[in-house]
Amino acid sequence: MSKTFLLALALIPAWAQAAPYAIGAAGSRIGFGYQQMGVAMQGSFRSFAGSVDLDAAQPQKSTVDISVQTASISLGSQDADRTAAGAEFFDSKVFPQARFVSRQVQALGSGRYRITGTFTLKNLSRPLTVDAALQPQGAQRLLTGGFSLKRLDWGIGTGDWADTSTLGNDVRVSFTLRLVPAANEHMR
Amino acid sequence: MERSMTARHSAPTILFHWLMALGLAANFALGLTMADMALSPEKLKFFSWHKWAGITLLGLVALRLLWRLLRRPPPLLPMPAWQKYTTEAVHGLMYLLMFAIPLSGWLMSSAAGVQVVYLGMFPLPNLAAKDKALFDLLKEVHESLNYALLALVLAHVAGALKHQLLDHDATLARMIPWMRSKP
């Protein structure tokens, strides 16, 4: 390699490189809120993975790919978890994963991003836009944000469970993802 | 003396007594029914109704106790001392449980991480933080307290029937508006 090339390489600031980041399991959370008989309830997914490569300088090169194991749902009781993983809700045996993939990222400034992609849940794939904020944390980054959806649009809760007076239709998904440089995956 | 012996309970006292008797029996049956149901929207409704009824009964027993303190019930009819003590102990314990049972249920819901929202409209404060071990304990406590109240209610009914059928006194009549007291 020429000295000029090495010099040029050294001059590229580390943050400008579109380096891949993986979601670290520790310190990351994907949760959701919903209404049950007028009571605000919380749930979460225990198992998810993916990569998030956001680049403010080159948003068009950014990519997001997150998969959630639907059977890892946690609602506070085994009974509820079993029902949620069952055929009337996530049907986890047939559709083990929910997935969000985006190659369309818009930098909104001051660490905020609008991420537009395709969300796949059960047998449905539809466009979804998620607003998120990215904060550096040393070598790692923290991505926080959320989005709202109607569970019935995605076939979550069929049959008797389609009754929205018992189980509300509005679901607010929120996430905190600790992003670890993919080269340092041992830090996960 | 003669008048106080046959004096009826006051109208609010009689109303509180029968309203709560009915409410407690219905909510006890609802509690037993819902506990064995598979998870369904119906079960979620039953759980909420059970909690709303429980909070209503808690409010009723508070008003009832307040009324009892403001207006003392007529004295017990003549009976052996041990019967008086037993009667008063049963009444006292029933009052205690009529408070303890809804409170233990409310605590149980809090420990489960499910806030009680009265009638689906009025959120009540959580009495405890979400805690699985505490929930499991409270579930046992709530159930045991209910069976204790059932035992006391059976003793209470047995006592009333004894006064009516064996002693032929006015004990039962003065709690029943349409019943004539025996001479």
Side-chain angles (χ1 to χ4, degrees):
Chain A
M1 274 185 278
S2 76
K3 279 182 181 175
T4 325
F5 179 77
L6 282 172
L7 187 66
L9 199 68
L11 286 173
I12 300 170
W15 51 263
Q17 296 175 26
Y21 283 80
I23 296 171
S28 293
R29 186 174 191 279
I30 297 181
F32 52 88
Y34 60 102
Q35 293 269 321
Q36 178 182 295
M37 289 298 291
V39 182
M41 303 284 290
Q42 301 288 330
S44 64
F45 290 97
R46 290 195 181 93
S47 178
F48 46 86
S51 61
V52 178
D53 305 325
L54 298 176
D55 186 343
Q58 295 177 291
Q60 72 280 5
K61 286 198 174 170
S62 300
T63 62
V64 175
D65 187 342
I66 301 169
S67 294
V68 175
Q69 301 298 321
T70 56
S72 73
I73 193 165
S74 170
L75 295 165
S77 86
Q78 285 187 349
D79 216 12
D81 293 351
R82 234 187 337 261
T83 303
E88 291 182 303
F89 285 85
F90 287 94
D91 203 359
S92 300
K93 280 204 178 113
V94 184
F95 309 106
Q97 290 192 338
R99 190 172 178 202
F100 178 70
V101 179
S102 168
R103 287 184 172 44
Q104 195 186 334
V105 175
Q106 188 188 349
L108 304 175
S110 53
R112 296 202 58 83
Y113 292 85
R114 178 154 295 158
I115 305 165
T116 304
T118 302
F119 185 41
T120 304
L121 186 54
K122 291 178 98 168
N123 54 346
L124 298 165
S125 285
R126 292 198 184 125
L128 179 74
T129 299
V130 180
D131 280 353
L134 190 66
Q135 290 173 289
Q137 296 225 318
Q140 303 181 359
R141 301 162 136 198
L142 206 63
L143 186 74
T144 53
F147 59 93
S148 297
L149 57 80
K150 307 262 186 214
R151 66 177 178 91
L152 292 182
D153 290 350
W154 299 89
I156 302 299
T158 57
D160 290 346
W161 289 108
D163 170 25
T164 54
S165 70
T166 315
L167 194 62
N169 197 10
D170 294 310
V171 178
R172 176 75 197 168
V173 179
S174 55
F175 55 83
T176 299
L177 302 175
R178 201 170 54 81
L179 306 178
V180 181
N184 296 323
E185 282 202 49
H186 64 272
M187 286 172 80
R188 277 151 67 137
Chain B
M1 188 69 182
E2 184 63 26
R3 246 185 97 222
S4 77
M5 283 297 171
T6 54
R8 238 178 235 300
H9 287 287
S10 68
T13 301
I14 293 174
L15 190 68
F16 276 130
H17 176 270
W18 291 109
L19 208 57
M20 288 205 66
L22 208 68
L24 289 167
N27 217 24
F28 182 80
L30 181 57
L32 283 180
T33 307
M34 73 191 200
D36 291 335
M37 285 170 72
L39 188 58
S40 64
E42 199 174 36
K43 179 172 180 155
L44 295 182
K45 277 182 196 158
F46 283 8
F47 264 82
S48 290
W49 294 346
H50 180 77
K51 292 174 194 184
W52 303 347
I55 295 298
T56 306
L57 287 164
L58 180 62
L60 275 176
V61 75
L63 290 174
R64 184 180 179 186
L65 186 66
L66 191 67
W67 176 250
R68 191 186 172 97
L69 296 174
L70 289 173
R71 176 144 173 185
R72 309 295 307 177
L76 293 173
L77 296 173
M79 62 179 85
W82 72 268
Q83 284 184 21
K84 273 190 184 170
Y85 294 140
T86 311
T87 300
E88 270 156 17
V90 169
H91 287 169
L93 284 171
M94 281 199 294
Y95 268 98
L96 194 70
L97 288 178
M98 284 188 289
F99 279 99
I101 288 170
L103 283 173
S104 66
W106 184 352
L107 268 164
M108 196 176 144
S109 192
S110 299
V114 183
Q115 190 179 18
V116 178
V117 179
Y118 187 55
L119 305 179
M121 287 183 283
F122 309 105
L124 304 185
N126 283 320
L127 301 182
K130 185 173 178 174
D131 182 338
K132 177 81 172 72
L134 181 65
F135 170 78
D136 289 339
L137 173 70
L138 285 165
K139 195 177 162 189
E140 297 300 320
V141 169
H142 189 64
E143 203 176 308
S144 305
L145 292 179
N146 269 283
Y147 284 112
L149 182 60
L150 178 65
L152 289 167
V153 166
L154 292 176
H156 178 66
V157 170
L161 291 176
K162 174 203 169 277
H163 281 281
Q164 181 67 16
L165 304 174
L166 300 179
D167 301 338
H168 303 290
D169 67 19
T171 299
L172 183 61
R174 56 188 204 166
M175 192 49 101
I176 299 181
W178 60 85
M179 202 160 151
R180 264 199 224 149
S181 30
K182 305 219 167 168

